[in-house]
C-alpha cells in the first residue's frame, strides 16, 4: 500500500477513495470548460465538475479532521506545516497515494493520448460519466444509512447530485447511440474502450473490506447484478451492444496502482499549490 495510506485506518482510506474518485473525475470533466459541443453543455459539464469537487471537499475536510484528531505526525516532508487540511490532501499527495478508480483518470480519448487540441472525445466523456454515475447512485443510496452520521449526510447530498449526473449522461448515451451512423459508431467505440475498466469496481480491496467491517462502507461487488441490469437496459435503449467478455488486466487504482495518465492530471491540478505552498489570496 502507498506510504501515506499506510498511516491511516481503513475507514479513513475509504473516505479518501470516495474523495479521490470525485476530485479526479471533477478535474477531468472541467477540461471541457470552453470546449463542449454547445454552450449549454459547457455549463452542464462545469456544474458537474463543481458538484464532484464539492463532494471531494466535504470528504477531504472530514478526513483531515480525523487525521488531526488522531495526532498523526509522521507524514511526508513535502506536506505543508501545521494541521492537515483539505488542500493538503488534494494538492500534496503523490500518484501512489491516490485511491481513485483508474477509469476516472483516463484522457477523454479512446486512443489514450494525453490531453491536447482535438483529443477531447465527447462520447468517451459521456460513457465514463454514465458508467461511474450508475455505480455511485447505488453507493450513495446505501451510504445514507451507514453508521457514520457525517458520511451519511455527505452521501445524502451527493446522491441528489449524482442522480442528475446519471440522467444527463444516460440521455446523451441514448441520443447519440440511437442517432446517426457516425454518433452510433463513436458511442460504441467508447463503450468498447471503457467498459473493461469497470472490472475494478468488483475487485475486492482491504480498504473496502475494513470500511465495511467498521459499518461505514459498501459491498460494491454485491451491487454488480443490479448495475449490470441498469447498464444493459441503457445500452439496449441506445441500440448499443455490450462488448464480448474477455480476459484482461483488472486495474488497481483503488489500491494506489495507476496509469501514467494520473501523473499528468495531478501535475495540472497541483502545480500552483506546490509552486506556492501556503499562499493565500
Amino acid at each position: 500500500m502507498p506510504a501515506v495510506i499506510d498511516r491511516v485506518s481503513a475507514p479513513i482510506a475509504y473516505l479518501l477513495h470516495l474523495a479521490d474518485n470525485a476530485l479526479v473525475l471533477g478535474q477531468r470533466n472541467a477540461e471541457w470548460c470552453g470546449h463542449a459541443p454547445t454552450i449549454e453543455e459547457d455549463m452542464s459539464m462545469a456544474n458537474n465538475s463543481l458538484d464532484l469537487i464539492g463532494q471531494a471537499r466535504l470528504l477531504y475536510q472530514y478526513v483531515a479532521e480525523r487525521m488531526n484528531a488522531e495526532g498523526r505526525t509522521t507524514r511526508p516532508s513535502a506536506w505543508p506545516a501545521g494541521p492537515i487540511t483539505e488542500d493538503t490532501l488534494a494538492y500534496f499527495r503523490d500518484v501512489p497515494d491516490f485511491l481513485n478508480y483508474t477509469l476516472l483518470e483516463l484522457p477523454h480519448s479512446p486512443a489514450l493520448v494525453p490531453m491536447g487540441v482535438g483529443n477531447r472525445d465527447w462520447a468517451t466523456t459521456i460513457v465514463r460519466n454514465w458508467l461511474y454515475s450508475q455505480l455511485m447512485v447505488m453507493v450513495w443510496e446505501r451510504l445514507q444509512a451507514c453508521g457514520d452520521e457525517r458520511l451519511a449526510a455527505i452521501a445524502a447530498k451527493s446522491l441528489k447530485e449524482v442522480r442528475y449526473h446519471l440522467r444527463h449522461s444516460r440521455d446523451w448515451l441514448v441520443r447519440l447511440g440511437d442517432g446517426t451512423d457516425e454518433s452510433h459508431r463513436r458511442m460504441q467505440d467508447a463503450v468498447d474502450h471503457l467498459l473493461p475498466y469497470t472490472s475494478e469496481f468488483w475487485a475486492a480491496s482491504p480498504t473496502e473490506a475494513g470500511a465495511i467491517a467498521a459499518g461505514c462502507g459498501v459491498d460494491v461487488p454485491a451491487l454488480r447484478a443490479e448495475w449490470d441490469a441498469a447498464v444493459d437496459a441503457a445500452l439496449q435503449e441506445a441500440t448499443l451492444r455490450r462488448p464480448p467478455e474477455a480476459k484482461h488486466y483488472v486495474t488497481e487504482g483503488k489500491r494506489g496502482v495507476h496509469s501514467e495518465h494520473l501523473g499528468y492530471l495531478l501535475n495540472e491540478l497541483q502545480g500552483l499549490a506546490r509552486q506556492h505552498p501556503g499562499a493565500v489570496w
Side-chain angles (χ1 to χ4, degrees), residues 32-200:
W32 279 102
C33 188
H35 301 279
T38 67
I39 292 176
E40 182 179 4
E41 288 309 311
D42 208 289
M43 296 299 296
S44 293
M45 200 56 67
N47 285 328
N48 174 292
S49 298
L50 288 172
D51 287 343
L52 290 167
I53 292 170
Q55 294 168 19
R57 286 195 65 197
L58 292 174
L59 290 161
Y60 286 141
Q61 288 167 2
Y62 186 25
V63 170
E65 289 175 20
R66 291 183 62 166
M67 291 180 71
N68 288 324
E70 292 178 11
R72 297 180 182 274
T73 57
T74 55
R75 55 187 187 176
S77 59
W79 285 20
I84 296 169
T85 68
E86 62 187 278
D87 289 340
T88 309
L89 298 170
Y91 294 139
F92 293 93
R93 285 185 299 141
D94 295 325
V95 167
D97 294 314
F98 274 75
L99 302 179
N100 58 280
Y101 293 125
T102 302
L103 170 70
L104 308 181
E105 68 202 40
L106 302 177
H108 303 279
S109 168
L112 290 178
V113 294
M115 182 54 59
V117 176
N119 289 339
R120 295 177 184 86
D121 179 69
W122 187 247
T124 299
T125 298
I126 290 300
V127 170
R128 180 194 3 235
N129 285 347
W130 164 60
L131 293 170
Y132 175 70
S133 297
Q134 185 63 73
L135 175 70
M136 291 310 295
V137 163
M138 300 173 184
V139 170
W140 290 129
E141 282 177 345
R142 285 154 179 82
L143 284 176
Q144 287 184 114
C146 74
D148 183 328
E149 292 184 2
R150 179 82 166 268
L151 178 55
I154 295 172
K157 176 182 182 299
S158 301
L159 178 59
K160 297 174 184 177
E161 297 165 342
V162 79
R163 280 176 172 159
Y164 168 74
H165 300 170
L166 176 59
R167 184 169 68 249
H168 175 265
S169 56
R170 194 184 189 282
D171 285 351
W172 269 106
L173 179 88
V174 173
R175 176 182 178 184
L176 296 177
D178 194 26
T180 66
D181 290 344
E182 175 67 11
S183 70
H184 176 88
R185 179 190 64 79
R186 292 178 68 169
M187 292 303 289
Q188 187 64 63
D189 286 347
V191 170
D192 292 348
H193 164 51
L194 294 176
L195 197 59
Y197 286 92
T198 63
S199 295
E200 186 181 350

Side-chain angles (χ1 to χ4, degrees), residues 200-211:
E200 186 181 350
F201 295 169
W202 325 121
S205 76
T207 291
E208 290 172 305

